[in-house]
Amino acid sequence: MRNKSGDVAVLIYLATATVVIHLLVGGRYGFHRDELATLDDARHLAWGYVAYPPVTPFFGRVSLQIFGTSLTGFRFFAALACALSVLLTGLMARELGGRRGAQLIAASAAVPFALAAGSLMQYVSFDYLAWVATAYFIVRLCKSNDPRWWVAIGGTIGFGMLTKYSILVCAAGIIAGVLLTDLRQHLKSKWLWIGVALSVLIFLPNFLWQLRHDFVSLEFLRHIHERDVRIGRTKDFLPDQLLLNLLALPLAFAGLHFYFSAQAGHRFRALGWMFVVSFTIFLIAKGRGYYLAPAYPMLYAAGAVWGEDLLGKWRRGRANVLRATAWSALAIDMIIVIAFVLPLAPINSRWWDATVKINGDLREEIGWPELVETIAGIRDSLPPEERTRVSILAGNYGEAGAINLYGARFGLPQAISGINSYWARGYGNPPPETLIVVGLSRKFLEDTFASCELAGHITNRYGVANEESHDHQEIFLCRDLRESWPAFWQKFRRYG
């Protein structure tokens, strides 16, 4: 008799191992610029923000309450969300009929992206969990035909809407799955509509926030999408799918085969349509490649079950060779991600040089304390009477977040910025007179202020070239705004 509790325990061990890895290595460099913005937003809890819904800053706030400003602690809930996704992927395989081997194969295939996404405190981690949990509940629905599972599905979609609005693509896939399969019968069920109502109810506070703020996130998303298309971030959507899957790609194709061709997959076909519709929408809409990552665990689970059934029909020797090949491929995927995505490489080593060519985000974890220390030195160089009236104007959210995180030890004021949610927090009262400005071009500042002089340069102790130390390294000291502060601030809003 199968030990089902033992199967689940093994999956829990695997998922827990991903958290342990993050706890061991996650604090080696520093906060990423995106994390600095999230951390700052976590200090200003709201039902919405310009750049994202409220879930990620909420967990950031919980992290701050429990762990303080520990980098490893701040990333804990992102790592936990990804670990739960690994567990649910294995449980999906179990519900699809897979034994322990299939469950472990499916969960292991989900580990590489879970390690990558869980390495930063970002909405990608919670979005991943929302999609995977939704797929898991769809599997339970299809297996049991119990319409009460729609309540759980509605709950995870509502959670997803408070995490990242791309969960709407998943919902579109579910709609297609219902209309194109035997799930059509559930259209008459009250439970489906209770699930829909629950998702709307969960999302309602964020919707009301958007309503009060003129749906600013739609403008933000339009701007970001146009920027991504313009600079070419969306042109490699198809090649990016190869990078997302690495050597697990055959398993994903096997999952599609299971849903659309295998007899055992017929009642689960709605999940096949969920993937196909999501893939098509992102491809046509020119989404970035990683947007589709949360859709792959449902394929891994199905592919592992189909593969297990296929190997059961083969001779033992041949089957063992293929099993060993599959495990080797997944192990290689994990090693690649651990080596080139996690913050392991000694900075400026050959390993580091190879790593940042693959994962340039690691560069953006370097140098923030030094930036703030340099700004503090510039402030301290001012006459005593001017120091008390100085403000710090930051061009991007990384700079603003770093100043607000590290500046208190130097007695620096909170940064002001026109980027995303910072703009709504204003420029202070009374308005600034002397400004230390970072992250804005000399030409813009000379056009904006009557007096502007170069005051310093951004560097870091490792000499790493990143956005701060390379792209806009100059720090300026500016005075005498050419127009009124209200007029300037109205035009200064930026998205990024």
Side-chain angles (χ1 to χ4, degrees), residues 101-170:
Q103 295 170 35
L104 272 173
I105 284 284
S108 297
V111 164
F113 187 81
L115 286 174
S119 65
L120 297 176
M121 178 58 169
Q122 54 185 342
Y123 56 62
V124 175
S125 307
F126 303 102
D127 178 58
Y128 192 59
L129 175 60
W131 280 65
V132 175
T134 300
Y136 172 73
F137 292 134
I138 292 286
V139 169
R140 297 299 301 267
L141 171 69
C142 294
K143 182 178 181 179
S144 66
N145 204 33
D146 184 345
R148 288 176 294 183
W149 282 108
W150 283 113
V151 178
I153 295 164
T156 53
I157 291 176
F159 172 79
M161 284 295 292
L162 294 183
T163 301
K164 188 171 183 280
Y165 300 124
S166 60
I167 194 73
L168 287 172
V169 175
C170 177

Side-chain angles (χ1 to χ4, degrees), residues 28-187:
R28 284 178 54 85
Y29 300 158
F31 288 97
H32 185 272
R33 68 171 62 252
D34 291 356
E35 292 178 303
L36 290 167
T38 301
L39 188 152
D40 217 20
D41 284 338
R43 301 184 192 276
H44 301 83
L45 284 185
W47 279 110
Y49 303 86
V50 172
Y52 34 58
V55 157
T56 309
F58 170 78
F59 280 107
R61 180 62 169 269
V62 175
S63 297
L64 291 174
Q65 294 295 114
I66 298 173
F67 306 111
T69 55
S70 159
L71 174 59
T72 303
F74 190 65
R75 292 172 172 174
F76 172 75
F77 286 104
L80 181 61
C82 289
L84 290 173
S85 301
V86 170
L87 172 62
L88 288 172
T89 303
L91 293 178
M92 256 193 283
R94 184 182 70 164
E95 297 301 326
L96 291 169
R99 296 186 294 275
R100 180 178 294 185
Q103 295 170 35
L104 272 173
I105 284 284
S108 297
V111 164
F113 187 81
L115 286 174
S119 65
L120 297 176
M121 178 58 169
Q122 54 185 342
Y123 56 62
V124 175
S125 307
F126 303 102
D127 178 58
Y128 192 59
L129 175 60
W131 280 65
V132 175
T134 300
Y136 172 73
F137 292 134
I138 292 286
V139 169
R140 297 299 301 267
L141 171 69
C142 294
K143 182 178 181 179
S144 66
N145 204 33
D146 184 345
R148 288 176 294 183
W149 282 108
W150 283 113
V151 178
I153 295 164
T156 53
I157 291 176
F159 172 79
M161 284 295 292
L162 294 183
T163 301
K164 188 171 183 280
Y165 300 124
S166 60
I167 194 73
L168 287 172
V169 175
C170 177
I174 294 172
I175 292 171
V178 169
L179 296 177
L180 297 172
T181 68
D182 294 340
L183 289 181
R184 284 190 301 273
Q185 62 183 303
H186 289 263
L187 290 171

